[in-house]
Amino acid sequence: MNKIVIASALVLAALTTGASAQRYHDGQRQDAQRYDSQREIDARQQMQEQRIQNARRAGELTRQEYQSLEAEQARIREMERRAQRDGRIDGREAAEIRRAQNEASRHIYQESHDSEQRGRGHGFWNRRWW
C-alpha cells in the first residue's frame, strides 16, 4: 500500500513539474515570437522607406505622391509606437501593423509605376522640386 502511495506521489510530482516547465518554455517561445515580430515590422518599415527613396531618386514620384507615401509611413510608425506603449506588441497589434504595411506597400508600387513622373507633364505637381 505504501509503495502505491509513494509511486502515485512521484508520478503526480513529475507531471506537475513537467507542466510547469512546459508553461515556462511556452512563455519563452511567445517572447521570442514577439521579438521576431518586432524585428520583422522594423525591417519591413526600413525596406519600404528605401523603396520610396529609390523611387524618388529615379524620378518616379511626384512631390505630392512622395509626401503622401511619407505621411503613410509616419502613420504606421505612430501605430507601432502606440502598440509598444505597454512594452510589447501583441498578436492583434502586430496583425494590424502588418495590414497597414501591406496597404502601404501596394501604394508605393502603384505610385512608382503610374505614368506620373517628377519633371514631366504639364501639372504643377509634376515639376521638379529637389
Side-chain angles (χ1 to χ4, degrees), residues 29-48 80 84 87-90 94 97-98 101:
R29 189 173 338 139
Q30 287 175 350
D31 289 342
Q33 287 172 344
R34 284 186 201 114
Y35 180 71
D36 289 343
S37 178
Q38 178 64 46
R39 285 194 335 211
E40 289 170 10
I41 289 169
D42 290 342
R44 188 152 184 214
Q45 279 298 106
Q46 187 175 15
M47 185 172 299
Q48 287 185 349
E80 188 178 357
Q84 287 178 330
R88 64 184 183 90
I89 296 178
D90 65 25
I97 292 169
R98 282 191 198 100
Q101 287 178 326

Side-chain angles (χ1 to χ4, degrees), residues 56-101:
R56 181 185 64 88
R57 280 189 218 102
E60 297 171 345
L61 298 174
T62 65
R63 180 179 184 182
Q64 185 178 16
E65 290 172 339
Y66 175 75
Q67 289 174 342
S68 175
L69 293 173
E70 284 295 325
E72 187 172 31
Q73 293 301 307
R75 286 190 299 272
I76 294 171
R77 284 190 299 273
E78 180 58 30
M79 285 174 66
E80 188 178 357
R81 271 194 293 275
R82 275 185 280 133
Q84 287 178 330
R85 280 191 299 210
D86 62 354
R88 64 184 183 90
I89 296 178
D90 65 25
R92 183 188 56 77
E93 293 166 333
E96 183 180 331
I97 292 169
R98 282 191 198 100
R99 275 192 298 276
Q101 287 178 326

Side-chain angles (χ1 to χ4, degrees), residues 61-67 116-130:
L61 298 174
T62 65
R63 180 179 184 182
Q64 185 178 16
E65 290 172 339
Y66 175 75
Q67 289 174 342
E116 298 174 1
Q117 293 183 341
R118 181 187 80 226
R120 294 197 169 69
H122 298 59
F124 170 78
W125 296 111
N126 288 333
R127 291 192 205 144
R128 185 178 182 115
W129 60 280
W130 59 84

